[in-house]
Amino acid sequence: MAIQTQNPATGEVIQTFKAHSDAEIDLKIAKSVVAFNELRNWSFAERAKAMVKAADILESRAEDYGRIMTLEMGKTLKSSIAEAKKCAWVCRYYAEGAESHLADDVVKTDASKSYRKYLPLGPILAVMPWNYPFWQVLRFASPALMAGNSGLLKHASNVPQCALAIEELFIEAGFPDGAFQTLLIGGAKVERILRDDRVRAATLTGSEPAGASVASICGEEIKPTVLELGGSDAFIIMPSADLDKAVKFGTTARTQNNGQSCIAAKRFFIHEDIYDDVKTRLRQSFEALKIGDPVMEDTDIGPLVNEDSLKEVTEQVQNALADGAVRVCGAEAIEGEGYFFKPGILENIPASSRAYHEEIFAPVALLFKIKTLGEAIEIANESPFGLGSAIFTQDEAEQEQAIRDLEAGATFVNSMTSSDPRLPFGGIKRSGFGRELAAEGIRAFCNVKTVSIA
Ligand code: NAP
């Protein structure tokens, strides 16, 4: 895949980048080792000073960064600006909290003193996707650097300007030269880096095939990995729910980021008593969304990321309809310039269709009419994925049942799944393993050293 900036709103290729050569990659890895040896000896206060500076820069340049994100992957400018500001939040969270998350943890034993000590591992490779081009990277980079590791970023090939801007950000914030570097490379070069002894661990956020490839290479190399992969999250609405709230959150949860979010609500399980009412309200809510130029303030939905993505979702919808699904509204490509797709809703999704089992990475909601919560959970758990989930109900027993039985890395009650630096984030089943954010996120790339002093 070419490393280039192509505006999804117009299809125009704006700039093409030359990939780094093997020699350049080797130099960058060498630099990463040197930077690690410096950063690991910095105090938490020194690391925090640079991380707070990074947060300040993210906030003061949120609009500039936002324009790059919108240009390269098509999300609305207002959501891009919000993304840059959220990145500042995660930087501040770890600047303040890293020291306590990684404090020596004393355990009483027969020794005179024994404790857990959290030590950094070294250079870590992060393979990242384009859909939240700043947030995905910053939620890895801020804990990794605060722990004393160095980072090497292989970003998606369609967001090179974002990748370079993030590298600049950490240089300007005052981290050691080489502490966080961008590698302009395609996916095919990842194996070589993973097999390099100097690179100690890897994290990948992206699709299943990419995750499986990285995990299997790291398995052979005995290197720790964190995988954040796809999802097909359930969004359950029961009769006692506040329906206005459920429809409002449901619409946002399915269509935010132009429908390209791993934790989007993709399958809606609606109790039969309220099904028709909720369906009508959801349709009205989807039809009210304004599709258009992502830079405009009043636009809700920009283009999909590229032509392949538009083709893929169109095929998934056609396959479902051919198998017997019914179109409630939208769910079709929009003729003309750019990769625009009308948000839509399908119902009566047959189990034979691709949409029933696959992730739909575009704004298409699948509706399922269910008789009981147990039935909703059973169908929800048929998915190979297990990332997020949500339930809208006032009934505490139903809330408990969903929390206990939904196979997912998160269950949000009366709210939509979202990421928050203070809470761990990640999935189970084919959505991946390991956790980002919170204490788990910063400990993921640490050597939990056992210390025992007789
Ligand atoms: P993708 O095609 O897997 O790309 C993700 C990254 O992996 C890119 O940098 C890509 O590089 C690289 N890559 C692709 N194939 C590779 C391989 N065989 N070996 C090594 N690297 C490889 O995924 P995407 O289409 O960009 O992202 C969408 C997917 O990410 C969805 O499934 C979504 O649900 C998931 N996602 C998950 C989370 C989460 O936290 N769980 C968050 C966001 C997105 P190139 O661009 O050069 O191909």
Side-chain angles (χ1 to χ4, degrees):
M1 195 193 269
I3 301 172
Q4 63 184 24
T5 300
Q6 180 178 26
N7 183 352
T10 61
E12 185 191 356
V13 175
I14 309 287
Q15 197 177 348
T16 300
F17 294 75
K18 194 167 167 280
H20 288 135
S21 66
D22 287 353
E24 284 170 314
I25 294 169
D26 282 342
L27 263 177
K28 282 178 185 288
I29 297 174
K31 237 173 120 175
S32 193
V33 174
V34 174
F36 165 64
N37 283 320
E38 185 177 344
L39 192 58
R40 68 193 284 265
N41 289 313
W42 278 22
S43 66
F44 281 110
E46 287 171 312
R47 293 177 204 157
K49 190 169 167 227
M51 196 55 79
V52 167
K53 178 86 189 289
D56 291 344
I57 297 170
L58 280 159
E59 271 159 5
S60 66
R61 288 197 208 134
E63 179 161 352
D64 297 343
Y65 291 142
R67 286 192 183 277
I68 307 174
M69 293 185 230
T70 297
L71 174 70
E72 293 197 306
M73 54 68 67
K75 67 192 295 170
T76 59
L77 180 58
K78 60 190 175 206
S79 63
S80 295
I81 294 171
E83 181 170 334
K85 291 182 179 165
K86 188 170 178 181
C87 290
W89 180 23
V90 77
C91 289
R92 290 193 198 289
Y93 169 78
Y94 280 113
E96 283 163 24
E99 189 165 7
S100 61
H101 287 320
L102 302 184
D104 292 348
D105 183 10
V106 176
V107 180
K108 211 169 156 20
T109 63
D110 299 335
S112 64
K113 188 174 182 190
S114 48
Y115 55 100
R116 291 182 187 85
K117 187 163 192 69
Y118 296 95
L119 294 165
L121 291 176
I124 299 165
L125 177 68
V127 182
M128 289 289 155
W130 48 266
N131 65 332
Y132 289 97
F134 268 60
W135 171 244
Q136 303 291 359
V137 177
L138 268 292
R139 80 180 183 188
F140 153 73
S142 52
L145 294 174
M146 281 307 299
N149 296 295
S150 54
L152 291 160
L153 169 66
K154 180 269 176 279
H155 215 327
S157 293
N158 58 328
V159 288
Q161 294 194 41
C162 290
L164 293 168
I166 297 168
E167 180 181 62
E168 276 298 312
L169 165 72
F170 286 115
I171 294 170
E172 208 178 321
F175 280 96
D177 189 24
F180 190 88
Q181 299 172 86
T182 282
L183 308 172
L184 291 178
I185 52 170
K189 289 281 179 197
V190 167
E191 176 165 4
R192 191 174 171 278
I193 300 165
L194 293 174
R195 294 204 188 276
D196 190 307
D197 287 341
R198 295 169 294 179
V199 174
R200 296 295 168 85
T203 179
L204 179 137
T205 300
S207 63
E208 254 187 283
S213 166
V214 165
S216 61
I217 296 163
C218 286
E220 283 177 17
E221 297 293 329
I222 323 289
K223 291 184 184 180
T225 46
V226 170
L227 294 186
E228 297 285 2
L229 309 180
S232 189
D233 289 4
F235 190 98
I236 301 171
I237 311 174
M238 297 301 287
S240 66
D242 174 338
L243 296 190
D244 287 340
K245 199 170 156 192
V247 169
K248 184 167 162 280
F249 275 116
T251 304
T252 304
R254 179 57 282 201
T255 62
Q256 67 173 354
N257 218 39
N258 306 340
Q260 303 160 123
S261 173
C262 52
I263 47 169
K266 290 170 185 146
R267 296 174 299 150
F268 288 71
F269 297 95
I270 306 162
H271 192 274
E272 59 183 1
D273 291 355
I274 50 169
Y275 183 87
D276 289 338
D277 185 15
V278 171
K279 180 173 83 171
T280 304
R281 293 187 199 212
L282 271 176
R283 180 174 51 71
Q284 288 165 348
S285 179
F286 271 49
E287 286 178 342
L289 294 168
K290 189 164 185 316
I291 309 160
D293 181 351
V295 173
M296 303 303 288
E297 178 62 30
D298 62 348
T299 297
D300 299 305
I301 306 284
L304 295 182
V305 67
N306 57 33
E307 199 171 358
D308 283 352
S309 184
L310 190 60
K311 204 166 150 252
E312 170 78 357
V313 62
T314 304
E315 282 172 12
Q316 285 172 313
V317 169
Q318 281 168 354
N319 169 276
L321 294 174
D323 272 8
V326 173
R327 190 197 302 271
V328 176
C329 66
E332 57 199 346
I334 298 172
E335 291 288 317
E337 197 179 56
Y339 311 120
F340 289 90
F341 183 86
K342 202 185 239 180
I345 301 172
L346 304 182
E347 64 179 345
N348 294 351
I349 324 298
S352 59
S353 64
R354 285 176 54 195
Y356 193 93
H357 307 279
E358 294 178 2
E359 175 179 35
I360 298 190
F361 215 56
V364 179
L366 307 180
L367 306 193
F368 296 83
K369 190 192 283 188
I370 45 100
K371 288 188 169 54
T372 63
L373 177 56
E375 184 191 356
I377 293 172
E378 195 181 318
I379 305 171
N381 289 347
E382 280 178 28
S383 169
F385 297 108
L387 194 53
S389 58
I391 178 165
F392 282 72
T393 175
Q394 305 301 334
D395 183 316
E396 283 184 18
E398 287 177 352
Q399 294 175 0
E400 280 309 313
Q401 189 182 350
I403 292 166
R404 189 188 62 227
D405 293 342
L406 279 168
E407 294 174 355
T411 295
F412 280 66
V413 178
N414 294 326
S415 178
M416 57 186 261
T417 306
S418 61
S419 57
D420 179 322
R422 297 163 295 188
L423 290 169
F425 184 94
I428 59 169
K429 296 163 74 179
R430 297 190 84 83
S431 293
F433 50 75
R435 292 290 180 268
E436 293 191 290
L437 301 176
E440 288 81 355
I442 194 164
R443 291 175 185 162
F445 293 118
C446 284
N447 167 16
V448 187
K449 181 177 269 192
T450 298
V451 180
S452 180
I453 303 168

